[in-house]
Amino acid sequence: MQKVLKPKLTVAVGVYNAEKYIHQCMESLLAQTFTDYEILLVESESPDRCAEICAEYAQRYPFIRFIQCENSGDTANPRNTAIECAQGEYITFIDADDLVDRDMYATMVGCMENEKLDAVYCTCYRFFNDDLSTKSTRNIKEVFCQSREELIEKLILPLVSNFDIGYEVTGSMCMTVYRTDIIKENNLRVIQPKIVFNEDNFFNIRYLSCAKRARTLNKPFYYYRRNMASITNTIYEHTVSAMKGFADETAAIMKKIGVSPEEISMRNKTRFMVSFSAVVRKVFDQKPRKEAIEYIVRKTEENNIDLSYTKKELGCVEFQVKIFWVLMRYRLYTPLYLLVKLYSRLVAR
């Protein structure tokens, strides 16, 4: 393959502590049926041999660049570094422990070109560790948005909070192809998760607020590796405050694009109900009862969390969240703790 001076697509690979998987990731990229692309290997102070491996790939292939950045402990610095260095008309992202279908970028860039899109989203297979036989498909709802109004209704609002139970919306930057000029002209960057919870979703909401046309494809082109050692995500001290940060920042975006105050309030409240219930479940799973309850009470008070709800808000969330929020509202922490433990045991069977 010849060096591409002005490639159609930039594929940004975030590399950290992925020595075991990076060759598999790179082989999936090198096997793409789409060839008009550059690969940016953005390595962030890995303790293993990742930097050496990245340098070897860059030396071997003229369309691969090796870039190093400071380790921020998340995906923000590598992705923002890639955005600043990208030369492609379009840009997408992949984590070094994942891999992609050989037709992923041919299909997605083809959609961008043929339908004059600002963004196209696909979905993924999820699998555990090294065992592809465990893969399961994440299905998403296919939508085609040809105006700002459709983008708001079919993508932006569901990314804030999805009322269409049974249909996921995709918010992963790794399953999206973007126009690089929209990102750079609007100075869009990835916000650190300690400031805004779920930085991928937030980036997509900001990006789509600047876009006009987009589509989703219910095609699992991306292979997302789920690590059993980290299947229960760590709950940090900043997690709950970052959830409130997400609500505040998205409220400002929605207001700017003309969403009604009532809709903003409803979407952010129901999202927070779902997200906070997930945090409580993880805390109850990971900590002894007394310590877990003390953590939840402290975080509720520190962040001035409103535990009230309306009938309409409660009707927009799944049954488990309804039960959770009612018990939280009346501070029935011990019954809630026991219920979470029982639920976790049933799910594990």
Side-chain angles (χ1 to χ4, degrees), residues 55-325:
E56 289 172 358
Y57 274 107
Q59 188 173 20
R60 196 186 324 167
Y61 298 96
F63 55 92
I64 295 178
R65 286 191 280 156
F66 171 38
I67 303 166
Q68 292 180 292
C69 71
E70 182 182 353
N71 178 20
S72 60
D74 50 53
T75 63
N77 271 5
R79 290 180 181 178
N80 290 335
T81 300
I83 288 170
E84 291 163 7
C85 298
Q87 296 177 345
E89 182 179 348
Y90 307 116
I91 185 170
T92 189
F93 303 85
I94 178 173
D95 294 332
D97 54 352
D98 297 333
L99 52 153
V100 292
D101 183 275
R102 66 193 305 270
D103 292 322
M104 178 171 178
Y105 300 133
T107 302
M108 296 180 74
V109 172
C111 283
M112 294 287 284
E113 299 273 278
N114 296 334
E115 300 176 352
K116 296 180 172 54
L117 301 177
D118 297 326
V120 59
Y121 299 81
C122 71
T123 184
C124 68
Y125 290 116
R126 294 177 281 204
F127 66 100
F128 290 106
N129 294 333
D130 302 326
D131 190 358
L132 280 169
S133 69
T134 65
K135 74 178 188 292
S136 61
T137 307
R138 177 191 179 193
N139 289 306
I140 61 172
K141 188 173 185 178
E142 288 207 351
V143 297
F144 182 28
C145 305
Q146 303 181 70
S147 66
R148 291 291 299 278
E149 292 72 24
E150 286 185 313
L151 277 175
I152 293 170
E153 178 188 350
K154 296 179 180 179
L155 282 177
I156 294 177
L157 291 180
L159 280 169
V160 177
S161 183
N162 184 23
F163 296 161
D164 196 356
I165 295 174
Y167 286 99
E168 287 193 69
V169 287
T170 182
S172 170
M173 294 177 67
C174 293
M175 302 173 208
T176 313
V177 172
Y178 306 94
R179 274 180 46 191
T180 309
D181 61 344
I182 290 180
I183 294 175
K184 292 189 175 183
E185 288 170 8
N186 292 279
N187 196 29
L188 303 180
R189 296 296 184 268
V190 182
I191 307 299
Q192 290 187 331
K194 65 182 179 182
I195 299 172
V196 174
F197 185 75
N198 199 331
E199 68 276 21
D200 278 38
N201 257 37
F202 183 66
F203 182 89
N204 276 294
I205 291 167
R206 291 182 70 203
Y207 181 88
L208 290 169
S209 72
C210 304
K212 295 179 181 178
R213 292 169 63 89
R215 90 153 41 245
T216 63
L217 301 171
N218 189 29
K219 296 183 182 297
F221 287 130
Y222 194 85
Y223 286 74
Y224 168 59
R225 190 187 308 272
R226 305 176 75 182
N227 190 336
M228 286 297 290
S230 61
I231 198 67
T232 52
N233 297 327
T234 303
I235 303 299
Y236 300 100
E237 280 297 314
H238 62 255
T239 296
V240 178
S241 62
M243 288 178 181
K244 296 202 75 175
F246 180 96
D248 293 341
E249 294 295 334
T250 53
I253 294 170
M254 288 189 285
K255 181 179 180 181
K256 186 176 180 179
I257 59 179
V259 179
S260 71
E262 295 76 18
E263 187 75 26
I264 293 171
S265 176
M266 172 75 72
R267 295 279 174 171
N268 272 330
K269 183 58 181 286
T270 54
R271 180 187 180 89
F272 190 84
M273 290 168 74
V274 172
S275 299
F276 191 55
S277 67
V279 166
V280 171
R281 179 186 167 190
K282 289 173 185 176
V283 170
F284 283 175
D285 278 339
Q286 296 169 9
K287 298 178 182 291
R289 180 178 64 85
K290 184 179 179 181
E291 185 181 341
I293 291 174
E294 287 175 352
Y295 175 91
I296 297 304
V297 171
R298 176 165 57 87
K299 287 301 174 184
T300 301
E301 293 173 353
E302 284 177 357
N303 293 280
N304 194 27
I305 294 174
D306 179 13
L307 294 173
S308 65
Y309 53 83
T310 66
K311 185 176 180 180
K312 187 174 182 181
E313 288 166 349
L314 214 58
C316 293
V317 297
E318 294 181 311
F319 179 74
Q320 301 96 307
V321 179
K322 289 183 175 70
I323 298 298
F324 161 85
W325 211 256

